[in-house]
């Protein structure tokens, strides 16, 4: 077998196999679907010639598909025939066969009404209608699937190419991404999951670990205390008919919610359930990873996990335990495809994880780059906005440019059977150049030296509505973050206490609703270290589990240093107007414009249907507003006149509060400039940058001006052309959808 590890390389982690460093990109090609197998030897040859040498080959254990490993062997031998220096990571599934599920009814997801809804299990090789969904927390599944996993690994070790196996990538759950397929609560019937013996056993163990042996009974919470998850969102987005002069509808409540939050003052057990739901899946993933590492510690182990975008953050069970997986020591890399909206030319592909947290743990975040091209059928070409080779090349440049600047590992995923998405001479030529650039980038100092950090909270996923999480996390990341004109790093808040986390000029706190006393102290210490600026978004620190009353606006005031009020008696709206001459932050913002609401168009790139829940109206329930007489008022809510946006010098840092869930790139840019952060581009185009590279993708046609931190040469890597010499500013034209990537060459 190969000797593969994640090792430090010029400042950041990298894949090392048999002593050789592998920069991005890698590749995955679908070759087996519904029993039809198509392996294109010449496609593999072309990709290998373009410099791609790491391949994820899809396979299943024999208990699932009896001849699967035979098919895997033939594909691997075909690949290595034309790419003899390639390495392989089998993408191996852990799904149980139908016979196993029928024999283990206690290990199938069960609803409180006794039902087992039918499930369509979709993987890379088959689509099966199954009567039940297996529990991702099942000990029986772990045991039996683990034995089959090791049986498959041992068989692969007998193949003549065993020395080309660099590791394994674990696949389970829906589309192999470790999520439950069906919702776990049905509002109409009141049925909730999971009441199976398998999950109840896991929940019981979770409660014992948290509370000790005298813990609460592991009762699965009913539909009433889950009202905050989707019930509040639904009632707000489906108001009863009314006339314009009628009183506004009353805010929805059933006694278990405080606005869009779970009332943890009374229903902490419901929060415990959602945490157990996610950790049950994560513990299974760690179980399989540990088996592989104990079998051979010199192999890479990876998996899908962690979806802070394009998913049901609470139903899916694959969101709230990323740090637990990374800290286990058994997993080298986690992966996700990018979010499936606004990927079209002029937009950008948002990511689902906080990838800079991975670096601190010597692990890798890997993007499954299933970038659509003009090779899709007419339906998907329309959705992706890809009509010709020009769009294809510019979007492939944009997505690779993000990986280059943000230092992400990635694989191109061709989902066409036998390949077809990237099967063009022009794309091969592009890939070859990108591999050259990636190798050069990996031999530079890879530390990015960015000045802005976005901070997120895993633990808040299980206590606030899905719509609220989408706005505070997903929508900002996938519509605004790349339009600031300055690059950002992204972390979980727990990393603020890590001495290896760099210092930043601006910290933006997105969904940090749930913070202990110790976590607040760690954050304040980090902010005060260099008198940073902190921008706190909607309900920062609202919940403190160490206090007698866990949920209180007083916790926000204490955390931000700005006295904050809360209104959960009315259903209010997020739009606010800036106070034009109040402060340098507001000088560059538009007077009269309504900020805080979702005003950027969105487009789904994989379906003609609306993106789930993205068309719901934004709301504030509860609403939070500054009422600190010592704070500078930067903006006021349009519907109440209360202070929506405020600034105050606090003990050791500059505190900026914004009471909305969503915030525009223009405001983020203005706060970043005030904090002393360098702004590379002012026009709202898509921009990724690091110390060594800048990628810009045009969202409009016109001249673009790039401003560097210091004089340097700008070399466009695809044209192989100098655009500027020894200057800190360059202006050039861009056409909508066009991408340029520059190497910053310092003299």
């Amino acid at each position: 077998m190969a000797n593969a590890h994640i090792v430090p390389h010029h400042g950041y982690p990298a894949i090392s196999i048999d002593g050789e460093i592998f920069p991005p990109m890698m590749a995955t090609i679908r070759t087996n679907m519904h029993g039809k197998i198509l392996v294109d030897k010449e496609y593999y040859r072309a990709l290998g010639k373009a410099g791609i040498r790491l391949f994820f080959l899809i396979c299943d254990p024999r208990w699932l598909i009896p001849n699967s490993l035979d098919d895997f062997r033939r594909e691997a031998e075909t690949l290595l025939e034309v790419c003899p220096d390639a390495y392989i990571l089998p993408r191996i599934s852990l799904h149980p066969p139908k016979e196993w599920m029928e024999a283990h009814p206690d290990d199938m997801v069960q609803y409180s009404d006794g039902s087992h809804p039918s499930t369509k299990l979709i993987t890379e090789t088959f689509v099966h209608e199954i009567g039940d969904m297996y529990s991702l927390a099942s000990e029986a599944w772990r045991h039996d699937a683990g034995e089959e996993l090791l049986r498959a690994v041992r068989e692969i070790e007998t193949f003549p190419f065993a020395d080309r196996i660099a590791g394994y990538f674990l696949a389970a759950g829906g589309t192999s991404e470790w999520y439950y397929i069906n919702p776990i609560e049905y509002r109409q019937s009141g049925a909730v999951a999971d009441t199976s013996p398998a999950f109840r056993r896991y929940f019981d163990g979770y409660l014992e670990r948290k509370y000790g042996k005298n813990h609460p009974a592991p009762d699965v919470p009913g539909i009433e205390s889950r009202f905050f998850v989707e019930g509040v969102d639904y009632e707000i987005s489906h108001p009863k008919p009314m006339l314009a002069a009628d009183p506004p509808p009353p805010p929805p409540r059933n006694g278990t919610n405080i606005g869009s939050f779970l009332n943890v003052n009374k229903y902490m057990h419901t929060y415990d359930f959602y945490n157990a739901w996610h950790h049950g899946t994560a513990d299974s993933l760690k179980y399989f990873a540990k088996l592989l590492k104990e079998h051979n510690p010199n192999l890479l182990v990876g998996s899908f996990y962690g979806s802070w975008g394009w998913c049901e953050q609470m139903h899916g069970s694959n969101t709230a335990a990323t740090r637990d997986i990374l800290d286990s020591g058994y997993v080298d890399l986690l992966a996700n495809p990018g979010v499936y909206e606004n990927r079209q030319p002029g937009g950008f592909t948002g990511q689902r994880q906080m990838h800079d947290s991975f670096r601190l743990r010597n692990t890798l975040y890997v993007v499954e780059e299933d970038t659509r091209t003009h090779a899709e059928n007419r339906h998907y070409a329309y959705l992706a906005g890809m009509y010709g080779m020009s769009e294809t090349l510019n979007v492939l440049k944009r997505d690779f440019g993000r990986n280059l600047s943000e230092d992400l590992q990635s694989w191109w995923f061709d989902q066409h059977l036998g390949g077809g998405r990237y099967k063009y001479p022009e794309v091969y030529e592009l890939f070859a150049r990108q591999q050259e650039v990636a190798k050069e980038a990996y031999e530079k100092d890879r530390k990015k030296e960015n000045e802005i950090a976005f901070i997120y909270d895993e633990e808040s996923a299980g206590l606030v509505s899905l719509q609220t999480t989408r706005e505070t996390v997903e929508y900002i990341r996938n519509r605004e973050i790349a339009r600031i004109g300055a690059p950002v790093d992204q972390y979980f808040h727990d990393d603020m206490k890590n001495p290896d986390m760099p210092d930043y000029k601006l910290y933006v706190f997105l969904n940090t609703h749930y913070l202990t006393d110790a976590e607040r102290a760690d954050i304040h210490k980090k902010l005060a270290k260099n008198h940073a600026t902190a921008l706190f978004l909607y309900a920062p620190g609202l919940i403190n589990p160490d206090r007698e009353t866990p949920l209180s606006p007083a916790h926000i005031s204490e955390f931000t240093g700005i006295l904050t009020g809360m209104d959960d008696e009315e259903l209010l709206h997020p739009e606010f107007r800036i106070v034009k001459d109040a402060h340098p932050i507001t000088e560059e913002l538009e007077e009269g414009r309504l900020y805080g609401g979702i005003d950027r168009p969105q487009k789904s790139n994989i379906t003609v249907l609306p993106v789930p829940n993205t068309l719901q109206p934004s709301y504030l329930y509860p609403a939070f507003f500054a009422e600190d007489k010592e704070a500078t008022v930067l903006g006021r809510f349009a519907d109440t006149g209360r202070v929506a946006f405020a600034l105050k010098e606090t003990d050791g840092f500059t505190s900026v509060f914004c009471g909305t869930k969503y915030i525009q790139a223009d405001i983020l840019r203005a706060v970043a400039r005030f904090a002393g952060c360098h702004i590379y581009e002012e026009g709202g185009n898509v921009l990724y940058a690091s110390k060594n590279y800048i990628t810009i993708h045009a969202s409009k046609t016109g001249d673009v001006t790039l401003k560097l931190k210091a004089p340097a040469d700008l070399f466009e890597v695809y044209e192989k052309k100098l655009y500027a010499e020894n200057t800190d500013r360059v202006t050039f034209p861009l056409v909508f959808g066009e991408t340029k990537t520059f190497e910053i060459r310092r003299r």
Side-chain angles (χ1 to χ4, degrees), residues 96-170:
K98 185 177 181 181
E99 296 76 16
W100 187 94
M101 291 188 281
E102 291 173 347
H104 293 79
D106 287 354
D107 296 276
M108 301 297 108
V109 174
Q110 178 176 295
Y111 288 76
S112 55
D113 61 0
S115 64
H116 296 263
S118 62
T119 302
K120 180 178 287 187
L121 179 61
I122 301 173
T123 78
E124 292 76 21
T125 57
F126 63 83
V127 177
H128 284 173
E129 290 283 352
I130 59 177
D132 307 310
M133 172 67 189
Y134 58 97
S135 169
L136 293 172
S138 163
E139 291 182 357
W141 168 63
R142 291 177 189 172
H143 177 271
D144 292 355
E147 287 192 343
E148 293 297 328
L149 170 64
L150 290 179
R151 186 173 291 117
V153 168
R154 291 187 181 103
E155 182 173 350
I156 291 172
E157 289 173 348
T158 69
F159 294 165
F161 53 82
D163 63 329
R164 310 310 293 180
I165 301 296
Y168 290 88
F169 190 83
L170 302 171

Side-chain angles (χ1 to χ4, degrees), residues 106-110 135-139 180 193-206 218-221 226 272-281:
D106 287 354
D107 296 276
M108 301 297 108
V109 174
Q110 178 176 295
S135 169
L136 293 172
S138 163
E139 291 182 357
Y180 288 94
D194 179 8
T195 59
S196 70
F199 180 74
R200 283 182 180 272
R201 283 192 293 271
Y202 181 83
F203 193 17
D204 183 58
Y206 174 89
D219 291 335
V220 173
R226 305 188 191 202
D272 289 334
F273 162 77
Y274 284 112
N275 274 337
W277 186 242
H278 287 258
H279 280 271
T281 296

Side-chain angles (χ1 to χ4, degrees), residues 383-530:
L383 292 174
M386 307 296 285
Y387 296 104
M389 184 58 71
S390 176
E391 287 96 342
T392 289
L393 295 178
N394 277 292
V395 167
L396 292 174
K397 288 179 183 179
R398 179 196 69 194
D399 291 355
F400 173 78
R402 180 202 61 240
N403 299 336
L404 182 69
S405 293
E406 297 193 352
D407 205 277
L408 300 174
Q409 186 52 269
S410 185
W411 69 72
W412 299 115
F413 187 19
D414 193 331
Q415 293 165 292
H416 298 197
L417 183 61
R421 180 170 281 168
Y422 313 120
K423 201 180 285 187
Y424 298 94
E426 296 92 335
V427 175
Y428 300 148
E429 182 180 354
L430 177 68
F431 283 176
R433 178 57 182 150
Q434 288 176 339
Q435 292 305 115
E436 292 173 352
V437 172
K439 288 180 180 178
E440 294 171 2
Y442 260 47
E443 296 314 306
K444 301 176 184 289
D445 180 358
R446 292 164 58 205
K447 291 184 178 179
K448 294 182 287 184
E449 298 183 357
N450 290 341
E451 298 171 326
I452 306 172
F454 274 42
I455 309 298
Y456 304 87
D457 179 24
E458 280 190 308
E459 296 156 313
S460 291
L463 52 77
V464 71
S465 77
L466 291 174
Q467 175 73 1
T468 298
T469 296
R470 288 191 181 102
E471 290 187 45
T472 55
V473 180
E474 179 177 352
Y475 296 174
I476 295 174
R477 297 181 78 197
N478 302 325
R479 303 181 190 190
E480 305 294 337
I481 196 169
R483 301 185 186 279
I484 298 171
V488 309
D489 291 343
Q490 303 186 56
Y491 297 91
F492 295 114
H493 74 75
D494 308 77
D495 296 322
M496 298 286 277
K497 67 181 179 183
N498 190 323
D500 294 329
M501 179 182 175
D503 297 327
Y504 295 86
K505 295 179 179 179
L506 172 63
Y507 298 83
V508 182
F509 293 85
L510 278 298
N511 72 325
T512 51
H513 311 308
Y514 184 97
L515 296 170
T516 65
D517 282 334
E519 290 167 343
R520 292 163 197 258
D522 290 333
I523 290 171
H524 287 163
K525 181 178 179 181
K526 183 73 167 178
L527 295 177
K529 184 178 179 182
N530 295 309

Side-chain angles (χ1 to χ4, degrees), residues 84 289 665 725:
E725 296 185 66

Side-chain angles (χ1 to χ4, degrees), residues 535 562 573-587 589-596 620 624-628 631-648 656-660 663 667 671:
L535 172 58
I562 296 176
H573 300 94
E575 288 81 5
F576 69 90
R577 295 187 178 94
I578 57 99
V579 178
K580 184 61 178 175
D581 298 322
H583 189 271
I585 287 176
T586 64
E587 288 179 358
L589 298 174
E590 293 182 53
E591 188 173 11
R593 176 183 172 183
L594 291 173
Y595 291 99
L620 299 180
F624 300 96
F625 45 90
E627 47 185 15
D628 194 319
T632 301
V633 177
L634 305 178
R636 293 184 179 275
F637 286 116
D639 60 357
T640 65
R642 291 168 172 162
V643 178
F645 192 27
L647 176 146
K648 182 181 177 182
V656 182
F657 169 82
C658 186
T660 64
I663 195 168
I667 292 181
V671 176

Side-chain angles (χ1 to χ4, degrees), residues 211-225:
Y211 296 107
K213 291 186 178 180
N214 297 321
H215 61 75
D219 291 335
V220 173
I223 194 68
E224 295 81 8
S225 66

Side-chain angles (χ1 to χ4, degrees), residues 294-316:
E294 289 178 342
H295 176 74
N296 186 343
N298 297 317
L299 289 176
L300 298 175
V301 177
S303 177
F304 288 116
Y305 187 87
S307 290
W308 286 94
W310 198 265
C311 72
E312 303 287 0
Q313 284 89 1
M314 278 184 276
H315 297 323

